[in-house]
Amino acid sequence: MPRLKVNAAFKSAVGTSLTVKGWVRTNRESKADGGLCFVAVSDGSCFDPIQCVVKAGVAGFDDIRKLTAGCAVEVDGELVASQGKGQAVEVLVDPAKGGAVRVLGWVENPDQYPVANKRHTFEYLREVAHLRVRTNTFGAVARVRHCLSMAVHRFFHERGFFYVHTPIITASDCEGAGQMFQVSTLDMVNRKLTPDGKKCDFSEDFFGRQAHLTVSGQLNVETYCCALSDVYTFGPTFRAENSNTSRHLAEFWMIEPEMAFCDLMGDSRVAEDFIKHLVEAVLTERPDDMKFFDERIEPGLIQRLRHVLETPFRRLPYTEAIDILHKAQAAGRKFEFPVKWGTDLQSEHERFLTEEHFKQPVILMNYPKQIKAFYMRLNDPGTDGAPGDTVAAMDVLVPQIGEIIGGSQREERLDVLDRRLDEMKLPKEDYWWYRDLRRYGTVPHAGFGLGFERLVLFVTGMQNIRDVIPFPRAPKQADF
RNA sequence: GCCCUGAUAGCUCAAUGGUAGAGCGACCGGCUGUUAACCGGUAGGUUCUAGGUUCGAGCCCUAGUCGGGGCGCCA
């Protein structure tokens, strides 16, 4: 009998002979019809397990009665219309028609099986990350995560972007996006010091210099942008920040498109189209999993996502956002942190704008230059009526999550870029190859970064970022 | 890094400083084309670690480890 994945079995014609292989979710026994076992088998190919109805005459029926959650089985049977409620079809395992069950792997201590068929907290399941994917929730997250990954590549591929593999290890310390993990083969105990005895001598290290794990592929991908026009990266990113929140990881996946001949407005249009494309993909491709998230994880999720699809994102200047926040304060809205032009918006401010004031995704644009990175393009004085200098930066804020995308138009003018490097006391020589892009055929270009796990949170309604990546890495957390 | 909070059966949680308990799961039996099943029974404990107070500590004190929530940093 041909082996079919469970999702394919569900779509097969009644009467099809088939074999399904997977892991037992539940097993119930009945004395009806001379003895039956109802064995629900999942192989992860879709949300629902398939019910196998095993008749008592099947060889090894005494063993089949003892199947518990987690056991691995192969089942030969026939797809039939279900006599019971709760499923349209099921696999009838009848010895008269060649039905059989082979147990490939038992659960050796069912009383202590970590993911027994009962409710578990997500906190507990993080401690059994190697088994938690066998649960409804984590299986659904894994499939949605895959769906989103494919949709990312499809979105860019269809628009003529090239996928660039930027390096994981970076030997330059010039990315400036946060604390970095060091990469070294030196003996950490008996390490050689520089002649003045004050620092570690990295000249004998693997790369002949200090090296780190990347915190962003952006600077590297800009080089490919300035030859291939439209490019993107999608890879792991590392931050050694001691961040203890439900929205941060030490290792996460980031998507960073970069577009030549593109300004900030064009950048924001791609960001909006991108998010809508991804939301549409999960709604159309994973209705089974999304129904589960809508019912059990965040009631109203699907409606919320449809609203995102149907509504144009609200664009407004940072300067205007500050006005709105000031007016809200005047009307009695309390914030823990002060609202002041020239300072970064706090989480509470961003969430007020996207969740309370506009109730939809919001794109804030043109931030004060002092709170943004050196590579962001300096705007003309007085842009948006701002009281100080601004740069062409944008943040996309969404309800529930806050900032999901950060991007900007890049500074393509070498003299302005050099002035910004000087202001921020960054050594120009470290940026020699980045500056070369401005010396040899510079063009306006723009891009953004999207935190992949935050996207998964946004579309699933899950609350903690550690539950939407298979093996989370966070401070004091690197098991598995 | 800061503030708050927690750690007791495989899991979720109870337990005035005085004999360690329930629900779920597991196991055994009953009933049932079952499906968050239902009914009855059984087993299951170094109360996070190390000290301290006390006649006596799951409970009080000190330190530590780890979890969770909020904030900061950001994606």
Side-chain angles (χ1 to χ4, degrees), chain A residues 259-270 365 377 379 392-394 407-410 412 443-448:
Chain A
M259 297 153 284
F261 318 104
C262 181
D263 63 9
L264 186 66
M265 190 55 73
D267 197 29
S268 75
R269 279 192 212 103
V270 174
M365 307 172 91
R377 190 180 195 277
N379 285 322
M394 66 158 187
S408 69
Q409 186 174 338
R410 318 309 188 188
E412 85 280 14
V443 292
H445 61 292
F448 61 82

Side-chain angles (χ1 to χ4, degrees), chain A residues 149-452:
Chain A
S149 299
M150 294 299 106
V152 165
H153 290 301
R154 199 184 323 124
F155 176 87
F156 289 122
H157 180 68
E158 286 172 353
R159 284 162 181 75
F161 285 62
F162 295 106
Y163 178 26
V164 178
H165 299 101
T166 50
I168 307 298
I169 297 172
T170 167
S172 60
D173 191 21
C174 59
E175 292 173 352
Q179 288 294 109
M180 305 169 94
F181 288 103
Q182 190 167 300
V183 176
S184 175
T185 54
L186 291 178
D187 183 332
M188 292 175 76
V189 178
N190 303 305
R191 56 188 185 173
K192 194 176 158 193
L193 299 181
T194 50
D196 62 9
K198 289 181 178 168
K199 287 183 178 171
C200 185
D201 181 4
F202 289 101
S203 67
E204 291 181 17
D205 203 349
F206 188 89
F207 296 106
R209 56 189 297 181
Q210 197 172 12
H212 298 91
L213 295 179
T214 183
V215 293
S216 165
Q218 182 200 315
L219 300 191
N220 285 292
V221 89
E222 278 189 50
T223 67
Y224 270 60
C225 172
C226 291
L228 302 181
S229 298
D230 293 323
V231 296
Y232 70 105
T233 75
F234 183 3
T237 310
F238 307 87
R239 303 275 166 92
E241 305 284 353
N242 190 15
S243 297
N244 295 290
T245 80
S246 57
R247 301 183 313 283
H248 290 85
L249 289 166
E251 175 182 290
F252 63 101
W253 288 65
M254 189 154 63
I255 298 147
E256 296 174 287
E258 193 73 29
M259 297 153 284
F261 318 104
C262 181
D263 63 9
L264 186 66
M265 190 55 73
D267 197 29
S268 75
R269 279 192 212 103
V270 174
E272 177 174 355
D273 289 350
F274 185 46
I275 287 180
K276 288 181 172 175
H277 172 86
L278 297 169
V279 167
E280 189 166 26
V282 291
L283 288 176
T284 58
E285 295 171 30
R286 295 256 46 110
D288 55 346
D289 296 318
M290 294 308 290
K291 178 166 171 283
F292 169 79
F293 289 124
D294 189 59
E295 288 173 355
R296 296 298 180 93
I297 303 295
E298 184 195 327
L301 170 70
I302 290 177
Q303 195 183 356
R304 190 191 98 209
L305 293 177
R306 288 201 197 289
H307 179 65
V308 168
L309 276 186
E310 290 158 5
T311 315
F313 288 10
R314 182 63 181 254
R315 288 168 177 72
L316 78 159
Y318 164 93
T319 302
E320 196 178 320
I322 294 290
D323 275 351
I324 289 171
L325 290 165
H326 278 148
K327 282 174 184 156
Q329 281 181 313
R333 181 66 162 81
K334 298 287 183 222
F335 294 113
E336 188 185 345
F337 292 90
V339 176
K340 184 166 178 277
W341 198 97
T343 63
D344 221 348
L345 295 180
Q346 302 292 319
S347 288
E348 59 170 343
H349 304 145
E350 294 178 345
R351 296 188 66 160
F352 171 81
L353 291 169
T354 184
E355 289 174 10
E356 292 181 46
H357 189 80
F358 291 112
K359 296 186 173 68
Q360 66 175 90
V362 174
I363 307 181
L364 293 186
M365 307 172 91
N366 299 328
Y367 283 72
K369 72 168 182 180
Q370 62 266 32
I371 58 173
K372 290 292 181 182
F374 73 92
Y375 51 73
M376 296 186 178
R377 190 180 195 277
L378 189 65
N379 285 322
D380 293 337
T383 296
D384 307 324
D389 285 342
T390 59
V391 291
M394 66 158 187
D395 282 355
V396 180
L397 312 178
V398 295
Q400 320 277 328
I401 311 297
E403 182 181 344
I404 196 169
I405 281 179
S408 69
Q409 186 174 338
R410 318 309 188 188
E411 183 55 76
E412 85 280 14
R413 301 160 295 187
L414 183 62
D415 55 331
V416 183
L417 182 69
D418 282 348
R419 241 180 288 139
R420 288 284 284 150
L421 286 168
D422 288 342
E423 280 173 17
M424 302 180 83
K425 297 188 168 53
L426 296 168
K428 283 199 214 45
E429 56 274 21
D430 284 359
Y431 297 88
W432 67 272
W433 55 263
Y434 190 72
R435 292 174 67 252
D436 268 6
L437 298 176
R438 278 73 181 165
R439 297 171 63 206
Y440 304 133
T442 192
V443 292
H445 61 292
F448 61 82
L450 177 141
F452 187 61

